[in-house]
Amino acid sequence: LEEGDAILAAIADAAGVFYNYTGELPCFNFTQGVNAQTAEDGDLWGYQYCTEMFMPMGRDGVSDMFWAQPWNETAAVEQCAADWGVAPRTTWADTVFGGRRLEAASNIVWSNGDLDPWARLGVTSDLSPTLRAVVIPGGAHHLDFMFSHPDDPQSVKDARALERGLMAQWILEKQTAVALKTLKTLKTPGAVGA
């Protein structure tokens, strides 16, 4: 094979892992999932995209390996209406989550695998002691959210342990604060229950 043909064959083999893992299909249908669960996941993401996480996504076909598909907000809004009967609130995520203005938030852990292409859009360094970033070497998209498996890399096991530890710490801190506030109220003269 010539170099270009070899590259194309390698890309086809890589796509086959997802679309034709049995090796029985004569061609790939990239417009649908490989099974009902994959299609359902795509549908759920499509609804969330249209109702909560509306974000520009496009490609130029020059600096990436895809055909050109520039961002078209009008077409995306029309697609959400056609698919889900909703009109996206185009700035909802920035309004609710503050965009990159995260200083007022607390008790958040962001995790990103360094193999996840979405990681470049994520928070990858700690912003404060209660705004923590976990970067997972060798980690893929949401790998730490998947069920544990004996073959999980140590980096994922470590990330899960850190995430659980931080959440447990923050829950305990909140429970302690509520208990102290309740105790203080009970000790105040004239307070209900005193």
Side-chain angles (χ1 to χ4, degrees):
L1 291 175
E2 292 187 31
E3 184 179 355
D5 292 338
I7 292 172
L8 189 56
I11 291 172
D13 288 344
V17 171
F18 186 73
Y19 288 106
N20 190 16
Y21 58 90
T22 64
E24 297 173 1
L25 299 176
C27 61
F28 305 151
N29 184 347
F30 66 89
T31 64
Q32 64 187 41
V34 295
N35 55 45
Q37 295 80 7
T38 302
E40 180 180 26
D41 183 64
D43 286 346
L44 294 172
W45 167 242
Y47 182 77
Q48 185 178 21
Y49 167 80
C50 288
T51 59
E52 296 178 348
M53 303 302 292
F54 191 75
M55 63 184 91
M57 289 185 273
R59 48 191 178 249
D60 64 13
V62 175
S63 61
D64 52 51
M65 64 181 210
F66 303 102
W67 59 89
Q69 188 177 23
W71 169 244
N72 182 332
E73 185 172 319
T74 301
V77 168
E78 290 170 355
Q79 191 67 51
C80 288
D83 290 348
W84 301 105
V86 298
R89 295 172 287 176
T90 58
T91 61
W92 184 85
D94 278 348
T95 301
V96 171
F97 299 120
R100 289 285 181 176
R101 298 176 311 279
L102 302 170
E103 301 81 21
S106 64
N107 299 352
I108 300 173
V109 180
W110 293 276
S111 63
N112 289 283
D114 68 359
L115 300 180
D116 180 359
W118 289 102
R120 286 180 246 158
L121 299 172
V123 177
T124 56
S125 60
D126 293 347
L127 303 179
S128 76
T130 64
L131 297 172
R132 301 288 302 273
V134 178
V135 177
I136 305 168
H141 188 66
H142 290 181
L143 181 59
D144 53 326
F145 296 165
M146 301 299 166
F147 294 105
S148 298
H149 188 277
D151 293 336
D152 284 341
Q154 189 61 44
S155 61
V156 175
K157 295 174 185 178
D158 294 344
R160 288 182 184 133
L162 177 60
E163 293 161 356
R164 280 191 303 271
L166 289 168
M167 288 184 271
Q169 172 190 333
W170 295 332
I171 290 168
L172 180 61
E173 287 171 358
K174 181 64 174 180
Q175 289 172 332
T176 302
V178 168
L180 289 174
K181 184 176 180 181
T182 302
L183 185 61
K184 182 178 178 183
T185 302
L186 293 175
K187 289 185 175 184
T188 303
V192 176

